[in-house]
Amino acid sequence: MNKLIGNEHIKKTLTEKSNVRSFIIEGPEGSGRHTLLDILVMSKICTGDHRPCGKCAACKRYESKNSIDIVYPDVELPVKEFREIINTAIEYPREEKCKFYIIDNADDMKVHNQNALLKNLEEPFDFTYFIIICNTKESLLKTIVSRCTVLTLKPLEEHVIKDSLVKKYGEKGEELLARAVLGSRGFLGRAEEIYSGKKNIADERYNAFMNALAHENLAEMVLALSFDNKKRNEFNDLIDNLLNGFKTILVCAGYKKEISGLSNEERLIVSFGEKRIKNIYDAFMKTKIGIKFNVNMSLWSVYIVKECLKKI
Ligand SMILES: [Zn+2]
């Protein structure tokens, strides 16, 4: 359980509700959803002394995804196939002490499949567990949510993220540490991507800007757009990222349809409506061209923020 940083409320829930069979793990990418999943599954199937031991045959089977009793139904399967898989929940486990149905990316689960799942959640067997993983439980049927214990991963405090990064990756300087914390929005997985160098500055600024825009947080929008004068390339990369992102958002808003893979922030921005989104897109386009003639980045930042906040 110590592998999961922070989130004491989840640890408390799991201690109190040790006999629950159906869980929803809710949180954005990088919030520790799969760390929590590992803990949940391994603590139940482990045959070692200190569960989860990570060393016994059951733990090893889980880690290598080689257990026949741990099933990962694809949420986008046609309902007939999905139901066939889910209905095996009534059969006894063959290898482990219990069975798990792990439903990942549940935000994309079709309603038919949700209904098929619901039937099994109604009368769970003692040996069967269901774990649903999603960005937000809002994307699931209320009837599903009400039958599960919801474990919501919460953002961590700055000092917790800093300590954890330095402990895992060592000292890499204050500037990088501050950037990782800023780009993480409180979620360790994101902070790790930045701190370990997996993610570049334009990507992390994109996320920071979209989050600020989705919540119309003026100060954070300005912060996400502010670059050192020598870093014009990074500013240009960010504008390119924003143009790409808004192209997709514009399509979603125009056709009034959901495209899977959007982040929570992007979904919120879709709800701004087509006109406003088009105006923001145009502002990025003007910036992309205009910056070649006027290199003053802070001027363009002010322009972008102003256009972004216009309620059209
Ligand atoms: Zn074990």
Side-chain angles (χ1 to χ4, degrees), residues 24-272:
I24 292 172
I25 298 179
E26 176 192 42
E29 211 181 306
S31 60
R33 298 179 299 184
H34 292 92
T35 306
L36 177 56
L37 171 71
D38 293 349
I39 294 167
L40 273 175
V41 178
M42 283 161 79
S43 63
K44 298 287 182 196
I45 61 165
C46 178
T47 55
D49 290 333
H50 302 285
R51 291 184 293 161
C53 72
K55 292 174 197 148
C56 68
C59 282
K60 293 260 189 248
R61 276 195 296 271
Y62 168 71
E63 284 185 322
S64 59
K65 292 202 171 177
N66 269 329
S67 173
I68 46 172
D69 292 321
I70 298 166
V71 187
Y72 300 83
D74 182 342
V75 294
E76 301 201 59
L77 278 177
V79 64
K80 188 169 166 279
E81 289 164 51
F82 187 84
R83 193 185 293 124
E84 262 169 33
I85 295 175
I86 292 289
N87 284 351
T88 60
I90 59 166
E91 296 162 12
Y92 279 103
R94 284 181 279 175
E95 217 165 20
E96 317 299 350
K97 290 187 278 182
C98 47
K99 294 178 83 165
F100 276 88
Y101 289 79
I102 296 165
I103 296 144
D104 208 345
N105 302 313
D107 300 277
D108 298 329
M109 185 161 34
K110 295 172 181 165
V111 174
H112 287 314
N113 289 352
Q114 293 201 42
N115 279 319
L117 177 63
L118 188 60
K119 284 213 155 157
N120 284 279
L121 293 178
E122 277 163 0
E123 302 149 29
F125 288 83
D126 282 352
F127 48 79
T128 303
Y129 291 85
F130 290 94
I131 302 181
I132 301 167
I133 303 172
C134 58
N135 282 316
T136 163
K137 63 176 189 285
E138 303 305 324
S139 52
L140 301 168
L141 295 175
K142 295 239 168 356
T143 38
I144 288 202
V145 177
S146 69
R147 281 173 178 79
C148 296
T149 293
V150 181
L151 307 171
T152 305
L153 288 147
K154 299 239 169 91
L156 305 175
E157 284 182 55
E158 220 177 285
H159 70 94
V160 178
I161 292 186
K162 282 186 176 171
D163 288 351
S164 174
L165 288 177
V166 172
K167 208 167 151 192
K168 189 163 173 185
Y169 298 98
E171 295 280 0
K172 291 182 165 204
E174 276 303 315
E175 197 203 327
L176 182 62
L177 198 56
R179 266 180 45 212
V181 170
L182 177 73
S184 73
R185 325 292 324 166
F187 294 112
L188 189 59
R190 295 184 190 173
E192 286 186 352
E193 278 194 327
I194 298 165
Y195 198 68
S196 66
K198 266 192 217 148
K199 206 163 212 159
N200 69 35
I201 290 187
D203 287 338
E204 65 183 78
R205 289 297 186 96
Y206 174 85
N207 291 335
F209 182 83
M210 296 305 258
N211 187 286
L213 175 59
H215 301 100
E216 309 205 317
N217 184 329
L218 188 122
E220 291 201 0
M221 283 167 75
V222 173
L223 197 61
L225 292 170
S226 56
F227 285 85
D228 189 282
N229 265 331
K230 283 173 243 144
K231 308 253 169 109
R232 190 143 61 92
N233 284 343
E234 287 173 3
F235 183 80
N236 289 342
D237 287 348
L238 172 62
I239 298 299
D240 282 340
N241 280 0
L242 287 165
L243 276 168
N244 274 333
F246 267 82
K247 226 178 256 172
T248 312
I249 289 171
L250 198 53
V251 171
C252 291
Y255 290 101
K256 299 202 168 42
K257 71 172 186 187
E258 188 97 334
I259 290 182
S260 64
L262 286 193
S263 67
N264 288 344
E265 290 79 21
E266 288 164 334
R267 276 173 223 267
L268 275 172
I269 294 169
V270 168
S271 69
F272 284 3

